[in-house]
Amino acid sequence: MTTTTTTTKRKSKPGKVTLSPVREIPFNKLVLSQANVRKVKAGQSIEDLAEDIARRGLLQSLAVRPVLAEDGTETDTFEVPVGGRRFRALEFLVRRKRLPGTAPIPCIVHAEGAAEEDSLAENVHREALHPLDQFRAFEALRDKGLSDEDIAARFFVTPAVVRQRLKLAAVSPRLLAQYAEGEMDLEQLMAFTVTDDHARQEQVWETLSSYGQVRPSFTIRRLLTETAIPADDRRARFVGADAYAAAGGTIMRDLFSTDDGGWFEDMALLERLVGERSTTLAGEIKAEGWAWVEAAPDFPYGHTNGMRQLTGEPAPRTDAEEHERHSLLAEIDRILGQYGEGEDLTHADERRVQDIEARLQVLDTRPLVYDPVEMARAGVFISIAMDGTAHVQRGFVRAEDEPRADAPETNPAEADSAPEPGETAPGQVSGIPDAASPAADSEAEDEGLRPLSDRLVSDLTAFRTLALREALGRSPETALLALVHALCLAAFHAHAAESCLEILTRSSTLGIQPLELTESAAAKAFEARHAEWAARLPDNPGELWGALEAMS
């Protein structure tokens, strides 16, 4: 048994202090004092502190007081009013058989004053470590060869926290000095970590300081990133962070707030990569057989006005796809058939049903197949959607590429067999004049079939036009049909001339357009309705009147 003696504070001359010596007392002779003022449990857990003690030993002694018997004499037991958490951590190690119960514990023995006073003084006079000192301590440990994971394990934090602290320590030394002197708060210092450029950091701080006002952290971040492209920008998504980094681009990241992937610093490089990928994609799509392909980050809304859009047919599913589709439909019926009405599916079955529905949607969404002859005169627009995917618009025929109605249809075989001068054309008997020849006209005049004069044709046309107007005015149903026919020709067959009404339609161009306009709900609904009607109406404008007439 260890013999203990009472250590008291000896009388000393004024102005001199005598410290109590440290004694080693077996752990099983220590008990937790109820005089400890710390009652609220907060901060590091007992288990974490125990692991730290097991790794590096006890760094701070316990302050103890002897337990007195009823007659006032000292016993061989000591209570611990100061260092309760350390005592519990040591107790945890003893229970886990990692520390002997008789292990000597360094203690400072007090006998004078109140135990509550010792506990209160130890907590009140404690001063927390300045955050900057912690940042620099982590940095020193990393410089000595410890990894982020090693540091995190030793101080019971996550590697992400360690990286944050190291990022703060890497800010410009000039700004760190401002933070240490209280000229900058932690939120502002955190905002400067989005870039490693010390000169840029100092420039932004000086600019904001010249305003003589509060410098919020979001303003600092905005100024530091104003020349960069956010990673959630559609151009950045279109290229991808991996491709951008592989090309030598750098990405600024904010470890302290959600940055949606950071900011792409090199705008010129990003624009070049966007152009390269667009050119590659345009070449792949043009190889499908289109006459032309235009690619740009975006096109103004209504850029296809005046063009005719081809209507394609969905590509048929292959035998393998049909078999897979029937198997999936049978499986989903089997799963749902196991449950009654209103009965909830298990988590596994619900997830499987969702997977099947997603695959069925892929199988049912078929690419469109177009007429190769029409493709040879039509083109494609490629732009970047707001989510960064390629927005491909296929099958648009420009006005100048439309086939001319008055152009003669030439059969190549007949063109090759055209007669030489002086020869007889195939199908024409030698010596008999052609119906279109001057001789035939002469014979027709002799029979009394002379052409009408221009004046007579003009007069008859005027009478006929007026009669048609009168007849149309007496038939509202026909008038409405003629109006709808003319409007449909303008909307779906821009260059057709099958209408007798001179009705002009115009779609006004929007001068200032936000990038999101093309993908707005109204634009998508408009395009869907246009595509639905285009599918219902005949492709041949000559058949449009009959199709409209059959409608209610």
Side-chain angles (χ1 to χ4, degrees), residues 118-381:
D118 292 347
S119 177
L120 182 62
E122 196 251 359
N123 288 281
V124 169
H125 296 316
R126 177 186 301 170
E127 186 173 349
L129 184 69
H130 192 282
L132 183 57
D133 292 330
Q134 186 192 53
F135 308 157
R136 288 170 171 166
F138 280 4
E139 187 176 38
L141 292 176
R142 187 184 60 177
D143 293 341
K144 291 182 179 180
L146 293 181
S147 65
D148 296 348
E149 289 72 19
D150 292 335
I151 299 174
R154 296 192 179 193
F155 292 95
F156 307 102
V157 295
T158 64
V161 171
V162 175
R163 285 190 287 270
Q164 289 177 345
R165 302 299 185 263
L166 294 173
K167 192 75 170 178
L168 288 166
V171 174
S172 165
R174 180 179 172 187
L175 299 186
L176 291 179
Q178 296 279 335
Y179 173 57
E181 295 173 2
E183 298 295 327
M184 179 191 304
D185 60 33
L186 183 58
E187 287 290 332
Q188 293 171 328
L189 183 67
M190 290 161 57
F192 280 104
T193 62
V194 298
T195 178
D196 296 329
D197 189 345
H198 288 179
R200 179 62 178 160
Q201 293 173 350
E202 295 172 4
Q203 179 187 20
V204 169
W205 179 255
E206 291 174 358
T207 300
L208 294 176
S209 299
S210 65
Y211 295 159
Q213 59 183 10
V214 178
R215 299 169 287 274
S217 58
F218 70 85
T219 303
I220 296 174
R221 286 188 178 88
R222 179 177 58 81
L223 292 177
L224 289 172
T225 60
E226 62 182 353
T227 59
I229 303 295
D232 60 351
D233 184 272
R234 57 193 178 124
R235 293 167 294 177
R237 291 184 177 184
F238 181 69
V239 171
D242 294 340
Y244 172 78
T250 56
I251 301 177
M252 296 188 297
R253 298 189 182 277
D254 188 351
L255 299 181
F256 297 92
S257 63
T258 302
D259 60 7
D260 295 322
W263 294 267
F264 288 28
E265 289 191 88
D266 196 334
M267 185 182 300
L269 173 62
L270 180 61
E271 294 290 354
R272 177 172 66 82
L273 294 176
V274 168
E276 290 176 355
R277 188 181 175 205
S278 297
T279 301
T280 301
L281 185 58
E284 295 173 355
I285 294 178
K286 194 173 188 301
E288 297 175 1
W290 301 102
W292 51 268
V293 176
E294 285 191 16
D298 59 83
F299 292 99
Y301 181 74
H303 63 282
T304 59
N305 289 346
M307 299 185 187
R308 177 170 61 91
Q309 185 174 11
L310 304 182
T311 55
E313 294 294 332
R317 284 184 288 268
T318 63
D319 293 340
E321 290 174 335
E322 283 289 355
H323 178 73
E324 180 185 4
R325 185 172 183 275
H326 287 303
S327 299
L328 292 175
L329 289 174
E331 182 181 356
I332 199 172
D333 288 341
R334 178 182 57 79
I335 294 175
L336 297 179
Q338 299 174 358
Y339 297 88
E341 185 177 356
E343 188 177 356
D344 294 334
L345 278 68
T346 64
H347 179 70
D349 285 344
E350 183 179 5
R351 185 169 57 182
R352 177 54 183 163
V353 168
Q354 292 174 351
D355 293 341
I356 293 175
E357 291 175 344
R359 179 56 183 166
L360 287 174
Q361 184 177 5
V362 173
L363 292 174
D364 292 339
T365 304
R366 310 304 301 164
L368 297 179
V369 179
Y370 299 90
D371 182 2
V373 176
E374 290 277 47
M375 290 176 65
R377 65 169 66 97
V380 182
F381 293 99

